[in-house]
Amino acid sequence: MDLIKTIEEQQKRAGAQAFHVGDTVKVHFKIIEGKTERVQIYEGLVIAIKNEGARKTFTVRKNSYGVGVERIFPLNSPRIVKVDVARPGKVRRSKLYYIRDKVGKSAKVKELIGGDVQAAIAARNAAADAAAAAKAAAAENK
C-alpha cells in the first residue's frame, strides 16, 4: 500500500492545482504528430474534477460550431504544458453536469467578481490547501 503511494507521489506534477470547477480555463496541450510537436489550446468550462493523487482528471466542456464537446484531461499528464484560468467562476456544486442540457445564456456560469479577482483566487486556493492539509493530518492520525 505504501509502495503505491510513493510511486504516485513521484508521478505528481510540482505545480499545484490553480483552478476549480466552474472556471473557464485554457489548457495548453502538447500534440505529437509523427516527429513534430505543437501546443494546442483547448478553452472551455471545467465541469468536473475527479479522483485524487496521480489519477486526478478534469473535464473541460466547450461549444464548437454549435455542438458541445467535452474532453477529459489527466491533471498530471506530461502532455499538459500549463492550465490558465481565463475567467474564474462562482458555483455551488462540485459537478456541473446540468450544463450539458442548457443552451445559450442559461448555460453560462456566474463569474467570480469582486474587488480583486486575483486575491479571491488566491484565497480560494489557500482554503483548498488548508483542507488538503487537514485531510492529510486526519489520515496520519488514523
Side-chain angles (χ1 to χ4, degrees):
M1 189 84 167
D2 292 331
L3 180 63
I4 294 171
K5 286 183 181 179
T6 56
I7 291 171
E8 282 188 356
E9 286 298 321
Q10 292 171 353
Q11 292 177 347
K12 276 184 166 182
R13 294 183 77 175
Q17 175 187 350
F19 61 92
H20 297 282
V21 173
D23 293 350
T24 301
V25 296
K26 291 181 181 179
V27 182
H28 296 258
F29 197 70
K30 196 183 299 181
I31 304 288
I32 301 168
E33 297 169 333
K35 294 181 181 179
T36 61
E37 287 185 5
R38 63 185 175 88
V39 175
Q40 182 172 332
I41 299 173
Y42 190 91
E43 183 175 1
L45 178 71
V46 178
I47 62 168
I49 297 176
K50 289 186 174 183
N51 301 326
E52 203 171 283
R55 300 183 201 110
K56 194 169 218 175
T57 61
F58 60 101
T59 306
V60 180
R61 180 179 177 83
K62 73 173 184 176
N63 274 336
S64 181
Y65 300 103
V67 178
V69 179
E70 291 182 11
R71 185 159 181 188
I72 300 171
F73 294 99
L75 185 66
N76 297 303
S77 171
R79 288 195 176 182
I80 292 181
V81 178
K82 65 179 176 175
V83 179
D84 291 333
V85 177
R87 281 190 325 236
K90 182 181 179 186
V91 293
R92 296 175 66 177
R93 303 196 179 281
S94 61
K95 304 285 191 277
L96 303 180
Y97 296 138
Y98 68 91
I99 296 283
R100 293 172 176 163
D101 300 329
K102 304 285 184 183
V103 178
K105 228 175 184 179
S106 64
K108 284 189 172 184
V109 171
K110 282 186 182 177
E111 195 167 346
L112 182 66
I113 324 173
D116 188 9
V117 175
Q118 295 302 324
I121 292 172
R124 193 168 66 172
N125 289 338
D129 292 342
K135 188 176 181 181
E140 286 180 9
N141 291 336
K142 281 188 177 181

